[in-house]
Each structure stands twice: as structure tokens, then as C-alpha cells.
Amino acid sequence: MTAQKQQTNGPRPLRADTERTIRTILEAAERVLTADPAATMEDVARAAGVARTTVHRRFATREALLHALTDWAARQFADAVGAARPGSAPPLVALYQITANVLRVKTNWSFAMNRPAAEHPEAARVHADVRATCISLLRRAQDAGVLRPDADLDWTRRVYYALIHEAAVEAATGSDPDELAARVVDTLLRGAGAAGAPNAM
């Protein structure tokens, strides 16, 4: 009885057509705002092929649209990471697949992904969860001997993120995300130093 009552009182799921309309608007907003960050709601409606009133019915203000766009991109980011099975796939396989998946998201949602997540509680929560997942995967990689046992995992994560950021710039010019993912993982694990090079320490 309690569960039934909670289901009745909880938020109703969106209808399929409503969900499609929202996605169409958000995808149009991403395209339009990437080309012109000052684009208006009317510009977004035109690009989405819907009436301006339809956009305003779903998003009361331009800020509400930007907020939804940032949250949507964060969810695509989390889904891309989750699709690589970071908790169960072999660490090296998961690391490569996450990199390729994330590069595609960062290319397709570059405007939204570059907005500061800290200003959006839901997006900030998603990004924090992804950071925790990344650290957990790096720890698995360390346990499997893929990373040095003394590697600082938070520093490694930050370097990994920086490499993905640079690869995303390349991906935006049309470079293949799978090839870039291989370069990112290779650079993360082996760097650019020659074999047998003297250790700075």
C-alpha cells in the first residue's frame, strides 16, 4: 500500500512525445549555442522546428533552458562512462572504452559540457559520481598492475582528464574518437619518455 501511494504521489514520467520534444529542443540548443552563445530562445525554437511557445512551455526562461541543457549533458557523460562497465570490465578495456565514449559526448555536447557544473547541483552531483567512478577504476587498474603501485590516483585522474580535454579539441576537428582514445590511454600509461630514460627522482 505504501509503495503504491508513493508511486501515485511521485513525479509522473514524461510521455514519449514530450520526451522527444524536449530532446529535440535540447539538441537544437546545443547546436545553436555552440555557434552563437548569445542565441535567443527564438533561435533555438527555429532550429528545433517548433513554435517559440513550445520552447517556453518546456523551459520558462533562457536560464532554465541552459540549466536543463547542462544537466542533460551531464547525464550523457555519466551514461557514456557507465556503458563501458568500469566496475566489471578489465580495467584497460574499460579505460579505453570510457575515453572513446566520453570524447563523443564532449564533441556532441561541447557547449553544455564546458559550462561550469558547480553552478548546477544535479550536474555537479553527476560529475562527482563520475570522478568517484574514475578513481575506483584507476584503483582497479593499479591492483591489476596496469598502473604503478605508488601512483597518486587523484593526480593520475587529473592528468587523464586533461588528456581527454586536449583530445576533445582534436575530435572537434573531425579526428576519430577511437584513435584519439588509444592515444590518450597510451600517453597516460606510458607517457612520452624513452624506455630506460633516467628517473627525475
Side-chain angles (χ1 to χ4, degrees):
M1 184 68 177
T2 304
Q4 184 178 2
K5 185 176 181 181
Q6 287 176 343
Q7 186 175 4
T8 302
N9 293 340
R12 291 187 300 175
L14 294 174
R15 286 172 36 180
D17 56 341
T18 299
E19 194 168 335
R20 282 194 298 272
T21 299
I22 290 173
R23 182 181 179 97
T24 297
I25 292 169
L26 292 174
E27 289 175 342
E30 171 64 34
R31 294 194 305 273
V32 169
L33 292 165
T34 296
D36 177 13
T40 65
M41 298 276 272
E42 288 185 354
D43 295 328
V44 172
R46 193 178 304 113
V50 300
R52 181 172 56 85
T53 53
T54 300
V55 176
H56 280 284
R57 186 161 59 247
R58 302 301 172 199
F59 308 102
T61 64
R62 187 175 186 276
E63 188 54 39
L65 174 60
L66 292 174
H67 189 92
L69 183 61
T70 304
D71 287 350
W72 180 275
R75 287 193 293 274
Q76 305 312 302
F77 175 48
D79 288 347
V81 172
R85 299 184 298 119
S88 59
L92 193 55
V93 173
L95 192 62
Y96 166 81
Q97 195 58 60
I98 284 174
T99 306
N101 291 354
V102 167
L103 284 174
R104 289 185 173 90
V105 172
K106 288 180 75 69
T107 301
N108 294 333
W109 298 90
S110 60
F111 175 84
M113 287 292 291
N114 285 323
R115 285 177 57 78
E119 298 176 8
H120 304 271
E122 176 60 17
R125 182 193 64 76
V126 170
H127 280 271
D129 287 347
V130 169
R131 280 194 298 274
T133 298
C134 184
I135 288 292
S136 178
L137 173 59
L138 293 175
R139 186 171 293 111
R140 289 183 62 224
Q142 195 173 51
D143 292 342
V146 175
L147 295 174
R148 293 198 324 266
D150 63 340
D152 181 325
L153 296 186
D154 187 60
W155 173 255
T156 303
R157 178 196 63 78
R158 288 157 60 192
V159 170
Y160 175 52
Y161 274 32
L163 289 170
I164 288 180
H165 174 77
E166 291 302 321
V169 174
E170 289 287 322
T173 67
S175 297
D176 180 47
D178 291 314
E179 292 181 5
L180 289 169
R183 290 172 61 185
V184 166
V185 174
D186 181 72
T187 303
L188 179 70
L189 298 181
R190 281 172 280 279
N199 192 320
M201 298 300 290

